[in-house]
Amino acid sequence: MLSYKEKELIKDYLMRYNYFNLTELCDYLIDNGSSGDTYSTGKYKIYPYVAVFLESFVPSSVMEIKKNENNVQYKIIGDLSIKKEIKDNKESKEEDTITETGQLSLF
């Protein structure tokens, strides 16, 4: 199971890269503190958890998936909801700032 931090790292990775493979994403997670434990085949133990999270988090209409014997390659072909989420959060913070600075206090 992935931690909150690992899920956030995956979101960060998706914001940076439009084309990647699952092993590269696992390497990124390991470089940032995730466990590097592997199965006897050499595949990372976090590999299936990352794959499941990606497929549940990113709609299939936004991501193209190519599978081969050793790895899975992803290509982002649409607009990710996390990009929209981040943009909406920035806009709402800006609106909050404007509202807060525009108010007068009677006390």
Side-chain angles (χ1 to χ4, degrees):
M1 186 131 208
L2 296 175
S3 69
Y4 175 78
K5 179 185 175 188
E6 289 168 326
K7 290 176 183 178
E8 291 300 310
L9 285 168
I10 291 171
K11 291 176 186 178
D12 179 57
Y13 192 88
L14 293 176
M15 293 292 294
R16 294 179 190 194
Y17 302 101
N18 289 328
Y19 183 77
F20 59 93
N21 68 49
L22 206 50
T23 302
E24 291 170 347
L25 179 52
C26 289
D27 288 336
Y28 175 75
L29 292 173
I30 291 165
D31 289 344
N32 286 284
S34 293
S35 172
D37 294 344
T38 60
Y39 294 108
S40 60
T41 61
K43 197 159 283 224
Y44 295 122
K45 289 187 176 182
I46 62 170
Y47 190 96
Y49 298 110
V50 173
V52 168
F53 177 73
L54 275 177
E55 292 182 14
S56 68
F57 180 71
V58 181
S60 60
S61 61
V62 175
M63 188 167 49
E64 185 178 290
I65 303 169
K66 294 181 182 179
K67 298 178 181 180
N68 62 32
E69 292 177 17
N70 301 322
N71 212 340
V72 180
Q73 295 179 332
Y74 294 89
K75 182 177 182 182
I76 306 299
I77 55 175
D79 192 29
L80 287 174
S81 61
I82 55 171
K83 289 182 181 179
K84 186 175 185 282
E85 254 178 50
I86 291 170
K87 183 180 176 185
D88 291 345
N89 286 341
K90 284 181 182 177
E91 289 174 358
S92 67
K93 285 181 183 176
E94 288 173 4
E95 289 173 6
D96 290 346
T97 304
I98 291 169
T99 307
E100 288 173 8
T101 57
Q103 284 185 333
L104 294 175
S105 175
L106 298 175
F107 300 102

